[in-house]
Amino acid sequence: MALMFALSLAAAAAAVKMVRMRTAANLNQRCLRAGMVGLGMIFDETYRPLFEQLHAEGLYRRDFGFVEIELAAVATRTGTRAEQYKRQAAGRVADFANFAGGDAVARLLAHGVDVVCVATPDTRHFQAAKQALQAGKHVLIEKPSVLRLQELDELEALSRRHGVLAKVVYHKLADPDHKKLRTHVVDGVLRHVNNGYCSLLEPKQISGSQFAEWISGRNPGSYVAVHYIKLIDFTFGPDWRLARIHATGQRGLVGPADGQTWDSVQLQAVYAYPDGREAAFDIHTSWVTPDNFPGYVEQEVQFRFDNGVWNAHQRKRGVEVTVEERTPGDLKITPNHHYNGTFVEPWGERSQRGYGIEILRRFFEEVAFVEFGGSPAERPRRLEAMRALAYNDLSADRNTVAVVQAMEAILARHAEGQPGSMVEVSPTQGGVVLRSPGQVEPVVLYPPLL
């Protein structure tokens, strides 16, 4: 009897699913066609499972209804990974177009996409995002959005000119620990942060294999410190200003000791409060941690407030696992199931979820709300409401990009044999200047606002 009951429930569920799939397209033809620029590790970890979920289920929210989301096209340099994915994912995503080569982004845009996701190495973000915005497409860019404030200005202006969203992915803002930290700050439980320390150390496979093709001349600070720069600016701001940036680093493992490719970076960002007090944050990053380290990454934060201390160590969430001949290679001894995990649900369904996927789904909800959340006459209002979201809009990314630009300039000067430079931000005009030992005149990285 129990078996028959289970079978009848399964049959009923299947029938409901078939009706839903059959009627959804008939009742509502609304669809967002997505283009993907870059098909590397971050695509496989987050975009791929999201697109497969949305292909199977669609996107629904009461304020915009049911919307189909389809991966319509991808643009990469060689097209090899895309072709492999097309074969492996047949039936799980739409039969997307695969564009490769120097004009791949242009052909993707001509294919009729509505939304473009940019997940290339950080030095290539700007050009792809610029092309997409010029074509009038909503854009989502992986962190860091761009490397210079001048580029940020240009992309933000294009998004406003063409009436589309321009957003950046900071998936760690949706980490449960980080959301709880901000909740305590918003609610006044933790008051007035004074200083803090953040560390994010990645294994050698990041710089030695996965990203070996593009790390030449790059640094792990721009690559991962931005998670914490944004966390600090978003969680504890906006009633302060960015004042000073210092940075140094080490070389010699993934490049020559006197070269421009960095193994580790130590960054300090100082903010000034209106009352004259300051808050300083030290952020240490590396991509040369040994591969047999027990966690995927070593992530730690500590923030000290007038009335308390917040400590979070994301490798020690309370789970350790050892499997003979599997850990710490295939499986990690201290996994992070919050970021992105695959599960067999109690009801038998297999799922893949976590804050790395949730943050992307939210972007598509924002686009769907703009395009389908009411009358066309009200679209400008909806657009401005989504632009006002400081957690991901390019307009709220200024301090993060300013720190990245400063760090890049300091490290470049260091690589030229002149360590000890620092960057100041004008308190009155917003200019960003580089000051180096022994040089009287500073170098203007970003001109003052008039």
Side-chain angles (χ1 to χ4, degrees), residues 71-326:
L71 177 61
V74 302
T76 61
R77 288 184 301 165
T78 67
T80 303
R81 287 184 176 179
E83 191 56 42
Q84 292 174 347
Y85 180 56
K86 277 174 73 76
R87 293 194 301 268
Q88 297 167 357
R92 300 201 307 272
V93 293
D95 186 19
F96 59 84
N98 177 13
F99 300 115
D103 63 346
V105 174
R107 288 191 288 159
L108 176 145
L109 295 171
H111 191 65
V113 298
D114 308 297
V115 178
V116 175
C117 303
V118 180
T120 61
D122 50 30
T123 55
R124 305 175 199 160
H125 288 180
F126 173 67
Q127 286 299 331
K130 179 179 177 179
Q131 285 181 261
L133 289 171
Q134 286 175 327
K137 313 300 181 183
H138 298 286
V139 171
L140 179 66
I141 314 170
E142 281 295 317
K143 57 75 191 165
S145 56
V146 288
L147 300 179
R148 300 170 64 244
L149 285 167
Q150 290 88 338
E151 295 172 340
L152 187 75
D153 289 344
E154 188 169 351
L155 295 187
E156 187 183 352
L158 282 171
S159 74
R160 292 193 171 274
R161 186 181 311 154
H162 293 280
V164 291
L165 294 176
K167 301 278 187 168
V168 56
V169 181
Y170 290 106
H171 62 252
K172 289 186 68 62
L173 293 182
D175 183 311
D177 284 353
H178 293 173
K179 289 195 291 187
K180 192 62 178 179
L181 169 65
R182 185 165 183 267
T183 300
H184 285 324
V185 172
V186 170
D187 291 347
V189 176
L190 291 170
R191 298 190 298 274
H192 195 106
V193 67
N194 293 302
N195 53 74
Y197 167 76
C198 307
S199 175
L200 203 160
L201 313 179
E202 302 245 352
K204 287 181 179 177
Q205 63 177 329
I206 293 294
S207 55
S209 60
Q210 289 174 323
F211 299 142
E213 293 184 6
W214 67 269
I215 65 164
S216 179
R218 307 302 304 134
N219 71 83
S222 297
Y223 171 58
V224 289
V226 288
H227 280 303
Y228 294 124
I229 300 167
K230 183 64 176 183
L231 173 70
I232 290 163
D233 191 58
F234 178 65
T235 302
F236 306 131
D239 298 326
W240 60 8
R241 67 172 181 84
L242 183 61
R244 299 186 300 281
I245 302 98
H246 304 261
T248 190
Q250 294 74 47
R251 295 163 288 174
L253 289 180
V254 295
D258 59 351
Q260 296 185 343
T261 304
W262 297 83
D263 301 329
S264 305
V265 171
Q266 298 83 50
L267 163 74
Q268 184 182 76
V270 180
Y271 289 80
Y273 287 103
D275 63 3
R277 297 176 67 185
E278 291 188 336
F281 303 92
D282 292 285
I283 306 174
H284 291 194
T285 53
S286 169
W287 48 26
V288 293
T289 302
D291 283 338
N292 63 346
F293 186 74
Y296 284 105
V297 290
E298 173 78 346
Q299 302 177 75
E300 181 180 6
V301 302
Q302 182 182 105
F303 297 118
R304 293 170 282 279
F305 299 80
D306 280 1
N307 68 328
V309 176
W310 172 272
N311 283 303
H313 198 301
Q314 296 187 324
R315 188 171 55 85
K316 299 177 180 177
R317 293 180 184 267
V319 176
E320 289 189 348
V321 59
T322 299
V323 179
E324 193 170 22
E325 298 181 353
R326 296 291 304 278

Side-chain angles (χ1 to χ4, degrees), residues 44-65:
D44 193 55
E45 288 190 352
T46 59
Y47 291 90
R48 177 196 56 76
L50 177 69
F51 283 130
E52 291 177 9
Q53 291 169 17
L54 294 176
H55 177 75
E57 303 170 4
L59 188 68
Y60 174 81
R61 213 170 67 182
R62 180 174 291 183
D63 54 0
F64 56 70

Side-chain angles (χ1 to χ4, degrees), residues 411-423:
L411 293 176
R413 186 59 60 89
H414 191 159
E416 293 167 359
Q418 195 169 32
S421 297
M422 59 89 68
V423 166

